[in-house]
Amino acid sequence: MNARKVSSQPPIPDSSRREPSLTIGVLGAGQLGRMMALAGYPLGLRFVFLDPAASAPAGSLAEHVVADYLDEQALERLSACDVVTYEFESVPVEAARRLAQKTQVFPPPDALAVAQDRLLEKECFRALGVPTAPFAPVSTREELASHVQELGLPAVLKTRRFGYDGKGQAVLRSEADLDAAFAELGAQPLLLEGFVPFERELSLLCVRGRDGKVAFYPLVENRHREGILRVTYAPADGIRDSLQATAERYAGQVLERLAYVGVLTIEFFLRDGELYANEMAPRVHNSGHFTIEGAETSQFENHLRAILGLPLGSTEVLEPCAMLNLVGDLPPREAVLAVPSAHLHFYDKAPRVGRKVGHITVRAATRAALDANVTRLLRLPGAG
Amino acid sequence: MNARKVSSQPPIPDSSRREPSLTIGVLGAGQLGRMMALAGYPLGLRFVFLDPAASAPAGSLAEHVVADYLDEQALERLSACDVVTYEFESVPVEAARRLAQKTQVFPPPDALAVAQDRLLEKECFRALGVPTAPFAPVSTREELASHVQELGLPAVLKTRRFGYDGKGQAVLRSEADLDAAFAELGAQPLLLEGFVPFERELSLLCVRGRDGKVAFYPLVENRHREGILRVTYAPADGIRDSLQATAERYAGQVLERLAYVGVLTIEFFLRDGELYANEMAPRVHNSGHFTIEGAETSQFENHLRAILGLPLGSTEVLEPCAMLNLVGDLPPREAVLAVPSAHLHFYDKAPRVGRKVGHITVRAATRAALDANVTRLLRLPGAG
């Protein structure tokens, strides 16, 4: 075709001449995987996602194997990838272990196993001298009663596994709450946690390379409603250098202990100037979405750099940012984009009550200007 | 599956409940289309590309119809899109006109027709009082001789259509060059241009919305080698506000005249402080790639905002940037990413002599720091 002959992108007659492109296998194909692929394409990477949900968000922009996480053929396909990672921490550890026999899997499956279990997670923190709320494992109604005696009330009863967005938890305010809570959750192994009346929730995004080099983003502040993250401020306001240093020291020990590779997120409670580790996520994290526009290198690119053994990118945050989750509803695009420096992220998911369907990142030169834009955005349906 | 049941990305049982997502049809599936899709996915857009090249770069991350641009079925598929645009200006205008009968096509096919023809393009500039090199159409050897008399030598003989990266051009230094040049190019309609001994080549990236609102990025400086853009500096050094204002006034007239919608790029020669319009590209442009990391809103997102009738985004450039094309060769990823604030873009194309296979954008707080990074990057294979 004439027009084509003079194209500045001429056809490639023999596609075998194409340079080998690294392929990343990803367990889970949600919005985190979608944003990981968007960060990886410019690096010349390709992606294969495994997720049983046919309409998972990453599926519309990469190869998507729709199957159970333990499906033989599916794991066969992923084991042909150069590196395998996860965007969702509740995948069966067995799937990760099986893949690790055939290809490189980062973060290490052992780290995934620890992060999946609130008890192992808390024990890891405790073993490293990282402060946490007091906790005790609970498997019977009797254990619950005795541990409530030790830890006191109020306390929080949590399933050890598969909790997210406040689900799988019950707050115990009085003895009267114990029966109902145990009846609701007791079928699974549980963890009882002493209640920490914290002032703020902070999270620290960390990344560790295959060479052991680490990088940390500044502590951010997370505001929740109904157990769901609504707004993240980055950097968190009024954080002393010494507190950032303490958080990095705690996190550095965890990264080492787990021989971690990739992005790890640790949530902390801040109380009386002290940090208490609440939980860790062995993956890129909702509280790090601001890094797409707000940091020199996004958490998604740094995760990919880490698992590929590439140099980590700068974690510098250039301006104050806020990230607002869009939960259960999508505002009109034009309303979001009319706000100066607002950056829109729709996940291509059907809106549903309590479901994260997108987010907005906004930056400003000053915190005051930022707050003005945030206030304006918070009026939008689904925002914050 | 248990693990899946508690996923924070639950499966969508009935995909008909998914919100309707706007679909953009794109003629051409090269790297410009690829980067357009990467900018569009966060806006919740979907993409369908039409390109006869089976291995075109956008094909690995979106639906790709592999067919001739005038293929009936292919045009049928694209006409089902909400909006159609181009990432390649040498597509047959007829394809755009046919699509415009069934869906919205931006930029307007008439603008595409003007930008495809160096004579119509230059006449458009002239009609608006935008300075250009002297020019004259040439269809016979006799016309060439007579116009060379008027315009003098040196001069440049160019095909009216389908020129790119210095191809379809011949520099005439003496009468002795005329025969060979006409023999080489004379089969097609030609344009003779007087030679402008310019000091610098600048380009202006413009965007015009469906509501007629316009926005301009700062003038950038382009450095070529062998007719191929190698490095863009953004903003161009030492540009007076008055020169930026003049460029914007010229461009604003062109945008109006063409009833333009989307991103338009105008290349200018700078000589003795005066701007001479050289050519326009009715699309996102190589000299605008720096906007991905270097501007508040990328040229790709602003093009999509414009053709969708959404508010235009800020064109502010936050720090001095340089964009280095990777031509004919790909440097090792680790070598690029080891340079502070270097951002890598591979196009997933097979390296070939003279072929653009990627680019690198680097930013710095000061021009001096930028130059240091550029110097380091220029040592890499394929760079600059």
Side-chain angles (χ1 to χ4, degrees):
Chain A
M1 241 206 49
N2 229 4
R4 195 64 210 179
K5 284 211 190 75
V6 297
S7 160
S8 54
Q9 299 89 29
I12 299 170
D14 167 15
S15 69
S16 70
R17 293 180 52 237
R18 183 184 291 271
E19 286 286 288
S21 165
L22 293 169
T23 301
I24 312 296
V26 186
L27 297 174
Q31 61 264 27
L32 299 177
R34 179 180 167 96
M35 290 184 270
M36 196 184 292
L38 291 173
Y41 282 126
L43 299 176
L45 308 178
R46 296 186 185 181
F47 292 84
V48 179
F49 290 91
L50 171 56
D51 194 310
S55 57
S60 50
L61 47 79
E63 179 181 340
H64 175 193
V65 179
V66 179
D68 184 286
Y69 288 112
L70 292 168
D71 179 90
E72 272 310 329
Q73 269 186 308
L75 292 178
E76 205 47 54
R77 174 67 188 100
L78 259 74
S79 65
C81 296
D82 298 283
V83 182
V84 168
T85 188
Y86 348 89
E87 61 96 54
F88 168 53
E89 74 267 37
S90 296
V91 293
V93 173
E94 188 192 342
R97 293 202 197 285
R98 280 204 228 159
L99 288 164
Q101 290 164 5
K102 297 185 173 177
T103 186
Q104 304 179 98
V105 177
F106 297 113
D110 290 350
L112 178 67
V114 170
Q116 279 186 356
D117 185 320
R118 293 183 188 281
L119 178 60
L120 299 184
E121 187 177 65
K122 286 283 198 302
E123 283 172 342
C124 172
F125 289 136
R126 177 178 281 171
L128 295 167
V130 178
T132 67
F135 63 88
V138 168
S139 48
T140 65
R141 178 67 179 80
E142 295 64 37
E143 283 179 358
L144 175 58
S146 62
H147 289 312
V148 162
Q149 293 305 317
E150 300 157 26
L151 274 57
L153 293 176
V156 187
L157 188 63
K158 300 177 175 181
T159 58
R160 277 173 58 173
R161 300 168 60 79
F162 302 141
Y164 75 98
D165 288 352
K167 294 183 178 47
Q169 303 193 13
V171 177
L172 310 177
R173 292 188 176 71
S174 76
E175 293 287 341
D177 297 333
L178 271 57
D179 283 329
F182 192 80
E184 182 197 342
L185 305 171
Q188 306 158 64
L190 303 174
L191 185 74
L192 181 69
E193 287 182 18
F195 187 76
V196 179
F198 62 90
E199 296 125 20
R200 301 161 75 185
E201 187 203 286
L202 306 175
S203 60
L204 184 70
L205 292 149
C206 324
V207 57
R208 184 171 183 268
R210 275 155 63 165
D211 59 0
K213 289 211 179 74
V214 296
F216 302 95
Y217 291 88
L219 281 163
V220 300
E221 176 165 359
N222 301 318
R223 310 239 178 118
H224 294 73
R225 204 174 68 244
E226 295 147 2
I228 301 173
L229 176 64
R230 304 295 172 142
V231 183
T232 294
Y233 287 94
D237 226 6
I239 299 297
R240 301 182 318 279
D241 292 351
S242 59
L243 194 73
Q244 176 76 27
T246 302
E248 293 185 6
R249 181 164 47 81
Y250 291 159
Q253 291 170 291
V254 173
L255 290 166
E256 277 297 320
R257 167 79 156 225
L258 299 176
Y260 201 85
V261 174
V263 166
L264 176 80
T265 309
I266 303 184
E267 292 177 18
F268 291 102
F269 295 137
L270 182 64
R271 181 191 182 185
D272 301 334
E274 297 296 326
L275 293 171
Y276 297 82
N278 177 38
E279 58 182 57
M280 64 175 95
R283 51 167 172 81
V284 291
H285 192 263
N286 194 168
S287 66
H289 291 356
F290 78 93
T291 59
I292 296 173
E293 295 90 6
E296 183 63 47
T297 313
S298 79
Q299 67 168 346
F300 301 98
E301 179 172 343
N302 258 337
H303 180 73
L304 292 166
R305 289 190 186 207
I307 66 175
L308 287 166
L310 294 168
L312 301 181
S314 164
T315 54
E316 187 186 0
V317 174
L318 308 166
E319 289 182 327
C321 306
M323 187 285 306
L324 295 81
N325 272 337
L326 297 171
V327 180
D329 202 354
L330 292 170
R333 291 181 180 89
E334 49 274 32
V336 175
L337 298 179
V339 177
S341 88
H343 295 275
L344 177 62
H345 298 263
F346 281 172
Y347 303 153
D348 202 6
K349 288 165 70 175
R352 186 187 308 163
V353 175
R355 184 182 210 197
K356 295 172 181 172
V357 288
H359 76 269
I360 301 165
T361 299
V362 62
R363 302 189 300 183
T366 67
R367 186 66 191 242
L370 181 68
D371 291 339
N373 286 339
V374 169
T375 305
R376 196 170 152 190
L377 290 165
L378 282 173
R379 295 196 201 100
L380 298 173
Chain B
M1 237 206 54
N2 230 3
R4 192 65 210 179
K5 285 210 191 71
V6 298
S7 158
S8 53
Q9 300 89 31
I12 299 170
D14 167 15
S15 69
S16 70
R17 292 180 54 236
R18 183 184 290 270
E19 287 286 288
S21 164
L22 293 169
T23 301
I24 311 296
V26 186
L27 297 174
Q31 62 263 29
L32 299 177
R34 179 179 166 94
M35 289 185 271
M36 196 184 293
L38 291 173
Y41 282 126
L43 299 176
L45 308 178
R46 298 185 183 181
F47 292 84
V48 179
F49 290 90
L50 171 55
D51 194 310
S55 58
S60 49
L61 49 79
E63 179 181 341
H64 175 194
V65 179
V66 179
D68 184 285
Y69 288 113
L70 292 168
D71 178 89
E72 271 311 327
Q73 269 185 309
L75 292 178
E76 203 50 51
R77 174 68 188 99
L78 261 74
S79 65
C81 296
D82 298 284
V83 181
V84 168
T85 189
Y86 348 91
E87 62 97 54
F88 168 54
E89 75 267 36
S90 295
V91 294
V93 173
E94 188 192 343
R97 293 201 197 285
R98 279 202 228 161
L99 287 164
Q101 290 164 5
K102 297 186 174 178
T103 185
Q104 304 180 99
V105 177
F106 297 112
D110 291 350
L112 178 66
V114 170
Q116 279 186 356
D117 185 320
R118 293 183 187 283
L119 178 61
L120 300 183
E121 188 177 62
K122 285 281 197 305
E123 284 172 340
C124 172
F125 290 137
R126 178 179 282 171
L128 295 167
V130 178
T132 68
F135 64 89
V138 167
S139 49
T140 66
R141 177 68 177 79
E142 295 64 39
E143 283 179 358
L144 175 59
S146 63
H147 289 311
V148 162
Q149 292 306 317
E150 301 156 25
L151 274 55
L153 291 178
V156 187
L157 190 63
K158 300 178 174 180
T159 58
R160 276 172 60 173
R161 299 168 62 78
F162 302 141
Y164 74 97
D165 287 353
K167 295 184 176 49
Q169 303 193 13
V171 177
L172 309 177
R173 290 188 177 71
S174 76
E175 293 285 342
D177 297 332
L178 272 57
D179 283 328
F182 192 80
E184 182 198 341
L185 306 171
Q188 307 158 66
L190 303 174
L191 186 74
L192 182 69
E193 288 182 18
F195 188 77
V196 179
F198 62 89
E199 297 125 21
R200 302 161 74 184
E201 188 204 287
L202 306 175
S203 59
L204 184 71
L205 292 149
C206 323
V207 57
R208 184 172 184 268
R210 275 156 64 166
D211 60 1
K213 289 211 178 75
V214 296
F216 304 95
Y217 292 88
L219 282 162
V220 301
E221 176 164 1
N222 301 318
R223 309 238 177 117
H224 295 74
R225 203 173 72 243
E226 295 148 2
I228 301 174
L229 176 64
R230 304 294 173 142
V231 183
T232 294
Y233 287 95
D237 228 5
I239 299 296
R240 303 184 316 281
D241 292 351
S242 60
L243 194 74
Q244 177 75 28
T246 302
E248 292 184 8
R249 181 164 47 81
Y250 291 158
Q253 292 171 292
V254 173
L255 290 166
E256 277 296 321
R257 168 79 157 224
L258 300 175
Y260 200 84
V261 173
V263 166
L264 176 81
T265 310
I266 303 183
E267 292 178 18
F268 291 102
F269 295 138
L270 182 66
R271 181 191 183 189
D272 302 333
E274 297 295 326
L275 293 171
Y276 298 82
N278 179 38
E279 60 182 52
M280 64 174 97
R283 53 167 172 80
V284 290
H285 191 263
N286 195 169
S287 66
H289 291 355
F290 78 92
T291 58
I292 296 173
E293 295 90 6
E296 182 64 46
T297 313
S298 80
Q299 66 168 345
F300 301 98
E301 180 173 342
N302 257 336
H303 181 73
L304 292 167
R305 289 189 185 206
I307 66 176
L308 287 166
L310 295 168
L312 301 181
S314 164
T315 53
E316 186 186 0
V317 174
L318 308 166
E319 291 182 326
C321 306
M323 187 286 305
L324 295 82
N325 272 337
L326 297 170
V327 181
D329 203 355
L330 292 170
R333 290 181 181 88
E334 49 273 33
V336 175
L337 298 179
V339 176
S341 88
H343 295 275
L344 177 62
H345 298 263
F346 281 172
Y347 303 153
D348 202 7
K349 289 164 70 175
R352 187 188 305 164
V353 175
R355 182 181 214 199
K356 296 172 182 173
V357 288
H359 76 269
I360 302 166
T361 299
V362 61
R363 303 188 302 182
T366 67
R367 187 64 192 247
L370 181 68
D371 291 339
N373 286 339
V374 170
T375 306
R376 198 170 151 191
L377 290 166
L378 282 172
R379 297 197 198 98
L380 298 174

Short mmCIF file of all heavy atoms in Angstrom, two decimals, chain A residues 6 35 46 56 62 87 90 93 102-103 128 133 152 170 193 196 204-205 223 235 247 250 293 335 339 345 352 358 364:
data_model
loop_
_atom_site.label_atom_id
_atom_site.label_comp_id
_atom_site.label_asym_id
_atom_site.label_seq_id
_atom_site.Cartn_x
_atom_site.Cartn_y
_atom_site.Cartn_z
N VAL A 6 5.39 4.56 2.87
CA VAL A 6 6.16 5.71 3.35
C VAL A 6 5.89 5.97 4.84
O VAL A 6 6.26 6.99 5.36
CB VAL A 6 5.84 6.98 2.54
CG1 VAL A 6 6.24 6.79 1.09
CG2 VAL A 6 4.36 7.30 2.65
N MET A 35 -2.43 -1.22 36.17
CA MET A 35 -1.50 -0.09 36.26
C MET A 35 -0.05 -0.55 36.15
O MET A 35 0.81 0.18 35.67
CB MET A 35 -1.77 0.71 37.53
CG MET A 35 -3.10 1.48 37.46
SD MET A 35 -3.44 2.55 38.88
CE MET A 35 -4.31 1.38 39.93
N ARG A 46 6.20 -7.26 28.18
CA ARG A 46 4.88 -7.79 27.85
C ARG A 46 4.32 -8.48 29.08
O ARG A 46 5.07 -8.80 30.00
CB ARG A 46 4.98 -8.77 26.68
CG ARG A 46 5.45 -8.07 25.42
CD ARG A 46 5.41 -8.98 24.23
NE ARG A 46 5.97 -8.33 23.06
CZ ARG A 46 6.05 -8.90 21.87
NH1 ARG A 46 5.59 -10.13 21.70
NH2 ARG A 46 6.57 -8.25 20.86
N ALA A 56 -11.77 -9.05 34.45
CA ALA A 56 -10.80 -8.34 35.30
C ALA A 56 -10.14 -7.19 34.51
O ALA A 56 -9.88 -7.32 33.32
CB ALA A 56 -9.73 -9.31 35.81
N ALA A 62 -3.96 -6.67 28.01
CA ALA A 62 -2.87 -7.66 27.95
C ALA A 62 -3.46 -9.06 27.84
O ALA A 62 -4.67 -9.24 27.97
CB ALA A 62 -2.00 -7.54 29.20
N GLU A 87 -0.26 -9.27 41.92
CA GLU A 87 -0.83 -7.93 42.16
C GLU A 87 -1.91 -8.08 43.22
O GLU A 87 -2.64 -7.14 43.51
CB GLU A 87 -1.38 -7.36 40.87
CG GLU A 87 -2.49 -8.14 40.21
CD GLU A 87 -3.88 -7.65 40.56
OE1 GLU A 87 -4.15 -6.46 40.38
OE2 GLU A 87 -4.69 -8.48 41.04
N SER A 90 -3.88 -12.56 47.98
CA SER A 90 -4.61 -13.75 48.44
C SER A 90 -4.57 -14.90 47.44
O SER A 90 -5.35 -15.84 47.55
CB SER A 90 -6.07 -13.37 48.76
OG SER A 90 -6.09 -12.46 49.84
N VAL A 93 -0.51 -19.59 47.88
CA VAL A 93 0.95 -19.65 47.92
C VAL A 93 1.44 -20.84 47.10
O VAL A 93 2.49 -20.79 46.46
CB VAL A 93 1.45 -19.75 49.38
CG1 VAL A 93 2.95 -19.99 49.41
CG2 VAL A 93 1.10 -18.48 50.13
N LYS A 102 9.89 -23.41 38.23
CA LYS A 102 10.15 -23.35 36.79
C LYS A 102 10.63 -22.01 36.30
O LYS A 102 11.22 -21.90 35.23
CB LYS A 102 8.88 -23.74 36.02
CG LYS A 102 8.43 -25.17 36.29
CD LYS A 102 7.25 -25.54 35.41
CE LYS A 102 6.91 -27.03 35.55
NZ LYS A 102 5.72 -27.40 34.77
N THR A 103 10.36 -20.94 37.05
CA THR A 103 10.83 -19.62 36.63
C THR A 103 11.09 -18.77 37.87
O THR A 103 10.92 -19.24 38.99
CB THR A 103 9.80 -18.94 35.69
OG1 THR A 103 10.36 -17.72 35.20
CG2 THR A 103 8.49 -18.64 36.42
N LEU A 128 11.42 -8.79 65.06
CA LEU A 128 12.38 -7.77 64.63
C LEU A 128 12.35 -6.55 65.54
O LEU A 128 13.03 -5.55 65.27
CB LEU A 128 12.08 -7.36 63.18
CG LEU A 128 12.27 -8.47 62.14
CD1 LEU A 128 11.64 -8.07 60.81
CD2 LEU A 128 13.75 -8.78 61.96
N ALA A 133 0.40 -3.61 67.91
CA ALA A 133 -0.61 -3.76 68.96
C ALA A 133 -0.37 -5.13 69.61
O ALA A 133 0.14 -6.04 68.95
CB ALA A 133 -2.00 -3.70 68.34
N GLY A 152 -7.48 -7.10 77.24
CA GLY A 152 -8.47 -6.10 77.62
C GLY A 152 -9.35 -5.70 76.46
O GLY A 152 -9.15 -6.11 75.32
N ALA A 170 -14.08 -7.97 63.52
CA ALA A 170 -15.15 -7.54 64.43
C ALA A 170 -14.52 -6.79 65.60
O ALA A 170 -13.53 -7.25 66.17
CB ALA A 170 -15.94 -8.74 64.92
N GLU A 193 -6.47 -8.74 68.50
CA GLU A 193 -5.53 -7.62 68.62
C GLU A 193 -6.04 -6.62 69.63
O GLU A 193 -7.22 -6.24 69.59
CB GLU A 193 -5.36 -6.91 67.28
CG GLU A 193 -4.54 -7.68 66.25
CD GLU A 193 -4.39 -6.88 64.95
OE1 GLU A 193 -4.60 -5.65 64.97
OE2 GLU A 193 -4.08 -7.51 63.93
N VAL A 196 -5.57 -0.16 69.32
CA VAL A 196 -4.66 0.98 69.42
C VAL A 196 -5.41 2.25 69.04
O VAL A 196 -5.79 2.41 67.88
CB VAL A 196 -3.44 0.82 68.48
CG1 VAL A 196 -2.52 2.03 68.59
CG2 VAL A 196 -2.68 -0.46 68.79
N LEU A 204 4.11 3.20 54.48
CA LEU A 204 5.44 3.35 53.90
C LEU A 204 5.56 2.40 52.72
O LEU A 204 5.39 1.18 52.88
CB LEU A 204 6.52 3.05 54.93
CG LEU A 204 7.96 3.28 54.44
CD1 LEU A 204 8.24 4.77 54.28
CD2 LEU A 204 8.97 2.66 55.41
N LEU A 205 5.82 2.96 51.55
CA LEU A 205 6.06 2.16 50.35
C LEU A 205 7.56 1.93 50.24
O LEU A 205 8.33 2.88 50.23
CB LEU A 205 5.56 2.89 49.12
CG LEU A 205 4.04 3.03 49.05
CD1 LEU A 205 3.64 4.31 48.34
CD2 LEU A 205 3.45 1.82 48.36
N ARG A 223 -6.67 8.06 54.92
CA ARG A 223 -7.95 8.29 55.62
C ARG A 223 -8.98 7.30 55.08
O ARG A 223 -9.18 7.21 53.88
CB ARG A 223 -8.43 9.72 55.36
CG ARG A 223 -7.33 10.76 55.63
CD ARG A 223 -7.70 11.76 56.67
NE ARG A 223 -6.57 12.68 56.88
CZ ARG A 223 -6.63 13.99 56.64
NH1 ARG A 223 -7.74 14.53 56.16
NH2 ARG A 223 -5.57 14.76 56.88
N PRO A 235 3.44 13.88 50.57
CA PRO A 235 3.82 13.18 51.80
C PRO A 235 2.83 13.49 52.93
O PRO A 235 2.09 14.47 52.84
CB PRO A 235 5.20 13.76 52.12
CG PRO A 235 5.63 14.55 50.94
CD PRO A 235 4.39 14.93 50.19
N ALA A 247 10.66 4.63 60.55
CA ALA A 247 9.84 3.78 59.67
C ALA A 247 10.73 3.01 58.69
O ALA A 247 10.55 1.82 58.46
CB ALA A 247 8.83 4.64 58.93
N TYR A 250 12.60 0.15 60.53
CA TYR A 250 11.69 -0.99 60.73
C TYR A 250 11.52 -1.75 59.40
O TYR A 250 11.66 -2.97 59.34
CB TYR A 250 10.33 -0.51 61.21
CG TYR A 250 10.27 0.05 62.61
CD1 TYR A 250 9.23 0.90 62.99
CD2 TYR A 250 11.23 -0.27 63.57
CE1 TYR A 250 9.14 1.41 64.28
CE2 TYR A 250 11.15 0.24 64.86
CZ TYR A 250 10.11 1.08 65.20
OH TYR A 250 10.02 1.60 66.48
N GLU A 293 1.81 10.04 39.09
CA GLU A 293 2.11 11.41 38.69
C GLU A 293 2.95 12.16 39.72
O GLU A 293 3.57 13.16 39.39
CB GLU A 293 0.81 12.22 38.47
CG GLU A 293 -0.05 11.74 37.33
CD GLU A 293 -1.07 10.69 37.76
OE1 GLU A 293 -1.18 10.41 38.97
OE2 GLU A 293 -1.73 10.12 36.86
N ALA A 335 -16.02 16.55 34.73
CA ALA A 335 -16.02 17.22 36.04
C ALA A 335 -14.66 17.04 36.72
O ALA A 335 -14.14 17.96 37.36
CB ALA A 335 -17.14 16.65 36.92
N VAL A 339 -10.72 20.15 36.96
CA VAL A 339 -9.94 20.57 38.13
C VAL A 339 -8.45 20.60 37.76
O VAL A 339 -7.91 19.61 37.27
CB VAL A 339 -10.16 19.60 39.31
CG1 VAL A 339 -9.29 19.99 40.50
CG2 VAL A 339 -11.63 19.59 39.71
N HIS A 345 -8.03 8.22 36.80
CA HIS A 345 -7.74 6.80 36.56
C HIS A 345 -9.02 5.99 36.74
O HIS A 345 -9.46 5.79 37.88
CB HIS A 345 -6.66 6.30 37.53
CG HIS A 345 -5.35 7.01 37.38
ND1 HIS A 345 -4.31 6.51 36.63
CD2 HIS A 345 -4.93 8.21 37.85
CE1 HIS A 345 -3.29 7.36 36.67
NE2 HIS A 345 -3.64 8.40 37.40
N ARG A 352 -20.16 -0.62 41.76
CA ARG A 352 -20.94 -1.44 42.68
C ARG A 352 -20.65 -0.88 44.06
O ARG A 352 -19.54 -0.43 44.32
CB ARG A 352 -20.51 -2.90 42.57
CG ARG A 352 -21.36 -3.87 43.38
CD ARG A 352 -20.77 -5.27 43.37
NE ARG A 352 -20.50 -5.72 42.01
CZ ARG A 352 -19.70 -6.74 41.71
NH1 ARG A 352 -19.04 -7.36 42.70
NH2 ARG A 352 -19.52 -7.11 40.47
N GLY A 358 -11.96 3.41 40.56
CA GLY A 358 -10.99 4.35 39.98
C GLY A 358 -10.36 5.20 41.06
O GLY A 358 -10.64 5.01 42.25
N ALA A 364 -0.27 19.96 43.71
CA ALA A 364 -0.26 21.43 43.75
C ALA A 364 1.07 21.89 44.33
O ALA A 364 1.77 21.12 45.00
CB ALA A 364 -1.42 21.95 44.58
#
